[in-house]
Amino acid sequence: MKKTLLAAIFGVIPALTLAHGVLAEQPIGIVIHGGAGTINKAQMSASQQQAYETALTAAIEQGYAVLQQGGSSLDAVTRAVIVLEDSPLFNAGKGAVYTFDESHELDASIMQGQDRNAGAVAGVTTIKNPILLARAVMEQSEHVMLAGTGAEAFADTLKLVRVPNNYYNTEFRYDALKRAKQALSPQPHQAKMPFDPAWRMGTVGAVAIDKQGNLAAATSTGGMTAKRYGRIGDAPVIGAGNFADNSSCAVSATGHGEYFIRYQVASDICARAKYQGKTAAVAAAEVISELATVGGTGGVIVVDPAGNLSWAFNTEGMYRAMLGSKTPLKVEIFNDKTAD
Amino acid sequence: MKKTLLAAIFGVIPALTLAHGVLAEQPIGIVIHGGAGTINKAQMSASQQQAYETALTAAIEQGYAVLQQGGSSLDAVTRAVIVLEDSPLFNAGKGAVYTFDESHELDASIMQGQDRNAGAVAGVTTIKNPILLARAVMEQSEHVMLAGTGAEAFADTLKLVRVPNNYYNTEFRYDALKRAKQALSPQPHQAKMPFDPAWRMGTVGAVAIDKQGNLAAATSTGGMTAKRYGRIGDAPVIGAGNFADNSSCAVSATGHGEYFIRYQVASDICARAKYQGKTAAVAAAEVISELATVGGTGGVIVVDPAGNLSWAFNTEGMYRAMLGSKTPLKVEIFNDKTAD
């Protein structure tokens, strides 16, 4: 009773103290996404839908198993993102889209909430799992962000699985590139042309909270179909496509990267939670809704320090799943949640 | 009197309304920096100090002239940064530091507050004024951030002054590289070694507000002496080294870039102003002070929508200047303001 009384006097209830003074167990949980965008239910076959749901389920279960075994949220998001990177279904790792020059350039980032340490790579071409290189940047370098051939040179100093660039080749992504190039052909150069929203669907990500109450976020992508000019989207930009801070929330984003950078989507959600006292879920819904009003499409997955798992998106669908000690498994694709 | 009374009742005074109800003219103003770090007064000769003060004065006056003539804050920060880029004294443009491989890789970013449009380039090697390429990314492409050879390929489609990479060669920066490499030589590879703070001093930037009340921010740098592995610092990362939003503030940062990315220095200052109702100056002082407690060194320049100009830094010095319609010219270098 004394603890409850003190809490009442000070106007707060310590997050992990139950009303009768017993310390509750720290909730654990993980949320993942496999990209948001124009996901047309009518055009998706039952077997396609099943394939996506199977992959999402594998990723969320492997990530959650790490947490259940007492592993860190950093390990959990790394594990889940590796599963998604290794699947050809998602625009990250194996399933990365093609650049204009018919190759693949991948971006990834990772961040942990206890000390806001972070790592990111942009434009890497031979790393089987870019999320592991991002993590190495965080853990084994003095830097946060490495790009291009320099990032590959750093990878040369590490024991990471390397692949030839054609490892990422898939027929359906190549077809997507051909369609994109056809649409771009009348333009003087692509940098001036608004992209078809369908070309930027993709990105995978995970956010988690572990038994120590630490938050982490990871994001990985192949970027935008037919991208040129060394374009960097939001995925490797801390604060835009990725953010984790134990004092507010962890976020991984997917969508039209340029808007996510300009509107600082990931860190703005956490700033509203921290400075306005909103729940992270409410802040995420607000930010994604406001983003739609300026033309930015996409979505986010979110976890807060109390272990609340949520997502928000302003597109037709977002490949997504969540699972936590206080949250039953959800695997969803469309806006109307019929993939439950 | 009625307006004053209403303001008193509602507890606010509309920013641009004088007490007797006459609409005041929108204040204009500009703040610039030329880098923060270990600037030892005892080791700086009178002629060196004078050279810095002369360059800072030229930059602030040229930027302010743009505003006085009714030009945009975007044009003003561009103009001021070009002056600083063209000076060999600052680590940006002409005076860019050397990479480990004895070349130069430059980063820059620009953002305007009315629509949060932004442009950034990382790792460019042949652009005389990287801030102009960042601006072209913002104004002439669908993207926000371009890197490396891709960014140069985009530059090939534009009319921008190009230079051979040795344009950026300066003797004193080469001496700095030689000292840095000597210090690095016992290390297996540099990515694991904490850098001497002196090697990352640099970066230039400007923030301004124009007669339309629009804010803008620009940041440009040669990065870190002896940098490798395609390292990207905070200068081209929107939210870290650069931010502008008419609803809160505009910030340009300089310092240990990795900390500025992890702590989202530029956008966190504006988030505190927007969500906590703090003045941008107070928010900046808070963020820079908190950054020092986790080991992050550097500083920021700030302008708010009411035309208040400020700076904050936690280093021995920061090359800096401010000038506005309600702010007399200040040109300062050291912490004790003796450069006034």
Side-chain angles (χ1 to χ4, degrees), chain A residues 115 142 191 262 264 268 275, chain B residues 115 142 191 262 264 268 275:
Chain A
D115 59 3
E142 290 298 311
R262 289 166 51 199
Q264 293 282 293
D268 191 20
Y275 300 137
Chain B
D115 59 4
E142 290 298 312
R262 289 166 51 198
Q264 293 283 294
D268 191 19
Y275 300 136

Side-chain angles (χ1 to χ4, degrees), chain B residues 283-314:
Chain B
E286 264 184 23
V287 168
I288 293 301
S289 163
E290 288 171 25
L291 197 70
T293 66
V294 292
T297 53
V300 290
I301 50 172
V302 185
V303 59
D304 75 11
N308 298 305
L309 312 179
S310 62
W311 46 52
F313 56 99
N314 60 28

Side-chain angles (χ1 to χ4, degrees), chain A residues 20 48 81 101 127 130 141 152 156 159 178 198 201 225 227 256 262 268 280 320 331:
Chain A
H20 48 283
Q48 278 177 320
V81 166
D101 300 326
I127 312 297
S141 91
E152 307 268 342
D156 290 342
K159 284 178 185 162
K178 282 191 289 188
M201 201 183 71
T225 298
K227 68 182 178 182
H256 190 163
R262 289 166 51 199
D268 191 20
R320 62 201 189 274
V331 181

Side-chain angles (χ1 to χ4, degrees), chain B residues 74-147:
Chain B
L74 192 71
D75 282 343
V77 296
T78 304
R79 184 67 235 152
V81 166
I82 286 174
V83 173
L84 297 168
E85 284 180 339
D86 288 346
S87 164
L89 294 174
F90 305 100
N91 176 17
K94 173 63 187 149
V97 298
Y98 283 79
T99 66
F100 190 87
D101 300 324
E102 312 203 348
S103 66
H104 309 271
E105 291 175 7
L106 296 85
D107 307 330
S109 65
I110 197 161
M111 188 167 188
Q112 63 184 17
Q114 63 268 43
D115 59 4
R116 297 177 63 150
N117 208 351
V121 292
V124 298
T125 58
T126 64
I127 312 297
K128 182 166 184 270
N129 293 107
I131 199 66
L132 290 177
L133 184 55
R135 187 162 167 177
V137 172
M138 177 176 104
E139 295 180 328
Q140 298 183 55
S141 92
E142 290 298 312
H143 304 307
V144 168
M145 193 171 186
L146 303 181

Side-chain angles (χ1 to χ4, degrees), chain A residues 111 115-118 122 140-155 157-158 189-195 224 227-233 237-240 243 256-259 261-264 267-268 271-272 274-276 287 290, chain B residues 111 115-118 122 140-155 157-158 189-195 224 227-233 237-240 243 256-259 261-264 267-268 271-272 274-276 287 290:
Chain A
M111 188 168 189
D115 59 3
R116 297 177 63 151
N117 208 352
Q140 299 181 56
S141 91
E142 290 298 311
H143 303 308
V144 168
M145 192 171 189
L146 302 182
T149 53
E152 307 268 342
F154 175 64
T157 72
L158 307 166
H189 65 90
Q190 168 255 52
K192 284 181 188 169
M193 191 200 164
F195 269 41
M224 190 184 265
K227 68 182 178 182
R228 273 167 102 176
Y229 302 128
R231 180 253 187 188
I232 297 180
V237 176
I238 300 302
F243 195 70
H256 190 163
E258 280 72 10
Y259 284 88
I261 296 174
R262 289 166 51 199
Y263 286 87
Q264 293 282 293
S267 65
D268 191 20
R272 292 180 192 214
K274 190 170 178 177
Y275 300 137
Q276 296 189 300
V287 168
E290 289 172 23
Chain B
M111 188 167 188
D115 59 4
R116 297 177 63 150
N117 208 351
Q140 298 183 55
S141 92
E142 290 298 312
H143 304 307
V144 168
M145 193 171 186
L146 303 181
T149 53
E152 306 267 343
F154 174 63
T157 71
L158 306 166
H189 65 90
Q190 167 256 50
K192 283 182 187 165
M193 190 201 164
F195 269 41
M224 190 184 265
K227 68 183 178 181
R228 274 168 100 175
Y229 302 128
R231 178 253 187 189
I232 296 179
V237 176
I238 300 301
F243 195 70
H256 191 163
E258 280 72 11
Y259 283 88
I261 296 175
R262 289 166 51 198
Y263 287 87
Q264 293 283 294
S267 65
D268 191 19
R272 292 179 193 214
K274 190 170 178 176
Y275 300 136
Q276 296 188 300
V287 168
E290 288 171 25

